Amino acid sequence: MQASGGESPPIALVPNGTGVGGAQMAGLEHYMAQYDHEHHSVWNKILHGIGIPLIFAGLILLVLLRWRWGVGCFVGGWMLLFLGHRIEGNKPAFFQGPVYLLVGPIWVAKEIWDTVTGSHSEQNAAEAKKP
């Protein structure tokens, strides 16, 4: 949830956990829900769906020593992500913590999978029925 002023809450710790001080970091489900909460705009989702794979392609191309293509894809992908957040009016999730650099690609893969399999339609219908 966003607090007033558009700020997102910090990364959650689960009390009475097994981590240091009796707390542990929240699981993937928490991070996915938080990431989803901050990505409502259709344009932001589309730009993430293109930008995150471009970033990965850029990294692979850099490893394969295709410098120009690699840098172009990497920088272009990040530009699309920041444009999406500019449209949506919020900061990228990774400003809350580096774990979101891993959550983002998982979220995009889930969004694509849900769209291809029609799960989004089922989820939206189920949410509409909730009181």
Side-chain angles (χ1 to χ4, degrees), residues 33-54:
Q34 181 69 21
Y35 200 89
D36 192 54
H37 175 76
E38 296 179 5
H39 296 81
H40 291 340
S41 164
V42 172
W43 281 108
N44 194 14
K45 289 182 178 188
I46 290 169
L47 291 170
H48 275 64
I50 297 168
I52 289 176
L54 261 179

Side-chain angles (χ1 to χ4, degrees), residues 62-83:
L62 285 170
V63 169
L64 297 175
L65 302 177
R66 305 284 188 212
W67 296 103
R68 288 185 184 184
W69 281 100
V71 169
C73 288
F74 186 81
V75 171
W78 278 108
M79 289 174 64
L80 291 176
L81 297 185
F82 281 104
L83 176 61

Side-chain angles (χ1 to χ4, degrees), residues 12-32:
L13 294 177
V14 179
N16 301 322
T18 58
V20 176
Q24 65 184 15
M25 286 181 59
L28 180 60
E29 184 175 318
H30 167 79
Y31 292 114
M32 292 288 284

Side-chain angles (χ1 to χ4, degrees), residues 35 37 49 71 73 87 89-90 92-93 96 105 108 115-116 118 121-122 130:
Y35 200 89
H37 175 76
V71 169
C73 288
I87 290 169
N90 62 18
Q96 298 173 38
V108 166
T115 300
V116 169
S121 302
E122 295 167 11
K130 287 183 181 177

